[in-house]
């Protein structure tokens, strides 16, 4: 036990390789990621402002969407600024404490996103499958409680894995072939020192439980929703309901398809290159696509955004 304690602090910093390539390609990648980052911030801020200024959007669905957009802004800020800075860093190092802090916020925000997608599915389930009871159930007070629940529970869920990671014996090497402090690479570095099957099992179980529980809940909710939508006699009403649901389902597919490939079995020896790009997809590009999907396929949101732009 004393040996583990002695080597646990041998690594004081990690090296994030990011995307090692020629400097011309690095400049090109930096430009792509920087533009994507700025557009992600602007797109999600536009949705938040539209909901804030247009009284017609003061409904639970749009309140949840505005909170989801705020979450996306926090999400990209947990890893993208450091990734962009590393393009111009000679050492590409990150301290042990900053690495664990990034790990905690990145995964806590990811957990919160899973919960938000679930309650957004619940909101559409109530609105379409139980329209008469919707106003009495999904009140502003209840909606606020759901939002608070997502944020609080999201930041509590990943406390145990992070605490376990802090106890791991990182004795070297300290090179992470990724652009952020991800769970899988950290577990792989620790397992190079001593076997850690218990920690890998707990982290994998908690990740899988969260991902599959929320995913099956969302797909189950929308299965019931689509059954009801198909029975709507009005073509216009069916088209409107389907448009709203398809936007949400597109976001769910983009997020969960890449997350499942990465975190169902962290530290299981997946191809590192593939893991890096799946992480890049859901942590950088999915938040970029979300405001586009929600605004372009929603007439009320498009009208509110046009109104907001005209005011400015």
């Amino acid at each position: 036990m004393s040996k583990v304690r002695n080597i646990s602090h041998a690594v004081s910093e990690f090296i994030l390789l990011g995307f090692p390539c020629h400097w011309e390609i690095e400049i090109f990648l930096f430009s792509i990621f920087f533009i994507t980052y700025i557009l992600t911030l602007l797109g999600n801020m536009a949705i938040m402002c539209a909901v804030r200024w247009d009284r017609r959007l003061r409904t639970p669905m749009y309140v949840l969407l505005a909170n989801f957009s705020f979450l996306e802004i926090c999400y990209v800020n947990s890893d993208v600024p450091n990734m962009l800075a590393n393009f111009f860093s000679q050492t590409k190092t990150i301290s042990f404490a900053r690495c664990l802090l990034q790990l905690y916020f990145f995964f806590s925000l990811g957990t919160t996103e899973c919960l938000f997608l679930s309650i957004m599915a619940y909101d559409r389930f109530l609105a379409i499958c139980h329209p008469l009871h919707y106003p009495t159930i999904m009140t502003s007070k209840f909606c606020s409680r759901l939002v608070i629940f997502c944020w609080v529970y999201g930041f509590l869920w990943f406390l145990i894995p992070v605490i376990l990671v802090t106890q791991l014996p990182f004795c070297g090497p300290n090179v992470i072939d990724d652009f952020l402090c991800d769970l899988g690479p950290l577990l792989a570095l620790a397992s190079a020192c001593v076997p850690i099957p218990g920690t890998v099992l707990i982290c994998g179980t908690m990740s899988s439980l969260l991902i599959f529980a929320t995913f099956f809940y969302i797909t189950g909710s929308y299965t019931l929703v689509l059954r009801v939508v198909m029975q709507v006699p009005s073509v216009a009403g069916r088209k409107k309901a389907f448009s709203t649901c398809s936007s949400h389902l597109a976001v769910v597919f983009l997020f969960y398809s890449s997350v499942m490939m990465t975190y169902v079995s962290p530290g299981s020896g997946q191809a590192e290159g593939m893991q890096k790009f799946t992480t890049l997809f859901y942590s950088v590009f999915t938040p970029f696509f979300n405001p586009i999907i929600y605004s372009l396929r929603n007439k009320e949101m498009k009208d509110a955004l046009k109104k907001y732009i005209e005011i400015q």
Side-chain angles (χ1 to χ4, degrees), residues 103 107 158 161 165 181-188 203-204 207 263 266-267 275:
L103 176 74
F107 276 87
F158 209 72
V165 171
C181 289
D182 211 344
L183 181 61
L186 283 174
L187 293 178
C203 292
S207 298
Y263 296 115
Q275 178 172 320

Side-chain angles (χ1 to χ4, degrees), residues 145-156:
R145 287 178 177 175
L146 288 176
V147 170
I148 294 172
F149 166 79
C150 288
W151 283 102
V152 173
Y153 197 81
F155 275 79
L156 289 177

Side-chain angles (χ1 to χ4, degrees), residues 156-189:
L156 289 177
W157 179 260
F158 209 72
L159 269 177
I160 293 177
V162 168
I163 292 174
L164 291 175
V165 171
T166 61
Q167 306 302 312
L168 295 179
F170 293 99
C171 59
N174 66 338
V175 178
I176 299 176
D177 186 14
D178 212 330
F179 59 91
L180 55 79
C181 289
D182 211 344
L183 181 61
L186 283 174
L187 293 178
L189 290 180

Side-chain angles (χ1 to χ4, degrees), residues 13-312:
E13 62 183 17
F14 295 99
I15 299 174
L16 297 174
L17 289 183
F19 304 91
C21 51
H22 293 294
W23 70 268
E24 296 95 338
I25 301 177
E26 283 196 342
I27 294 298
F28 173 74
L29 290 176
F30 172 84
S31 302
I32 295 296
F33 294 148
F34 180 74
I35 293 172
T36 302
Y37 173 64
I38 296 300
L39 292 178
T40 300
L41 296 182
L42 292 176
N44 285 287
M45 287 175 64
I47 289 179
M48 291 171 58
C49 292
V51 174
R52 174 69 177 82
W53 288 102
D54 196 319
R55 293 185 178 274
R56 295 174 301 174
L57 302 184
R58 302 288 178 82
T59 61
M61 183 181 78
Y62 291 108
V63 170
L64 292 174
L65 179 57
N67 279 275
F68 186 73
S69 294
F70 175 71
L71 169 63
E72 295 289 58
I73 291 174
C74 296
Y75 198 33
V76 295
N77 278 318
S78 69
D79 64 302
V80 176
N82 186 74
M83 178 185 71
L84 294 175
N86 267 6
F87 276 103
F88 300 101
S89 173
Q90 295 295 324
T91 60
K92 301 184 184 298
T93 59
I94 183 171
S95 68
F96 186 85
R98 278 187 60 204
C99 184
L100 292 182
L101 195 63
Q102 184 187 59
L103 176 74
Y104 174 66
F105 276 97
F106 182 74
F107 276 87
S108 294
L109 290 167
T111 302
T112 306
E113 179 151 349
C114 290
L115 297 175
F116 258 104
L117 290 172
S118 298
I119 66 170
M120 291 168 76
Y122 174 66
D123 174 74
R124 290 301 84 202
F125 168 76
L126 283 179
I128 296 175
C129 298
H130 302 282
L132 297 179
H133 299 288
Y134 180 77
T136 57
I137 297 177
M138 190 59 73
T139 61
S140 297
K141 188 175 182 180
F142 182 60
C143 183
S144 299
R145 287 178 177 175
L146 288 176
V147 170
I148 294 172
F149 166 79
C150 288
W151 283 102
V152 173
Y153 197 81
F155 275 79
L156 289 177
W157 179 260
F158 209 72
L159 269 177
I160 293 177
V162 168
I163 292 174
L164 291 175
V165 171
T166 61
Q167 306 302 312
L168 295 179
F170 293 99
C171 59
N174 66 338
V175 178
I176 299 176
D177 186 14
D178 212 330
F179 59 91
L180 55 79
C181 289
D182 211 344
L183 181 61
L186 283 174
L187 293 178
L189 290 180
S191 63
C193 299
V194 294
I196 51 170
T199 301
V200 173
L201 178 62
I202 292 173
C203 292
T205 300
M206 294 190 69
S207 298
S208 300
L209 183 62
L210 170 75
I211 293 169
F212 284 113
T214 53
F215 178 74
F216 285 131
Y217 176 80
I218 293 170
T219 53
S221 298
Y222 274 102
T223 299
L224 298 175
V225 166
L226 292 175
R227 284 177 58 185
V228 173
V229 169
M230 296 305 295
Q231 297 173 2
V232 174
S234 170
V235 176
R238 186 164 60 241
K239 184 178 179 181
K240 181 179 179 181
F242 185 77
S243 176
T244 302
C245 296
S246 62
S247 298
H248 190 195
L249 285 173
V251 172
V252 168
F253 175 77
L254 288 173
F255 181 75
Y256 277 95
S257 60
S258 52
V259 165
M260 285 182 177
M261 292 177 63
T262 309
Y263 296 115
V264 171
S265 300
S268 61
Q270 333 171 24
E272 292 184 357
M274 179 59 69
Q275 178 172 320
K276 184 191 302 186
F277 285 105
T278 54
T279 305
L280 179 70
F281 184 79
Y282 80 80
S283 64
V284 177
F285 292 110
T286 299
F288 167 73
F289 289 123
N290 287 354
I292 299 175
I293 293 171
Y294 278 120
S295 60
L296 291 182
R297 295 185 61 84
N298 189 299
K299 185 178 183 301
E300 289 82 2
M301 181 59 68
K302 284 191 289 187
D303 292 341
L305 289 172
K306 288 178 183 177
K307 182 180 178 182
Y308 176 72
I309 293 173
E310 289 174 0
I311 292 175
Q312 300 303 309

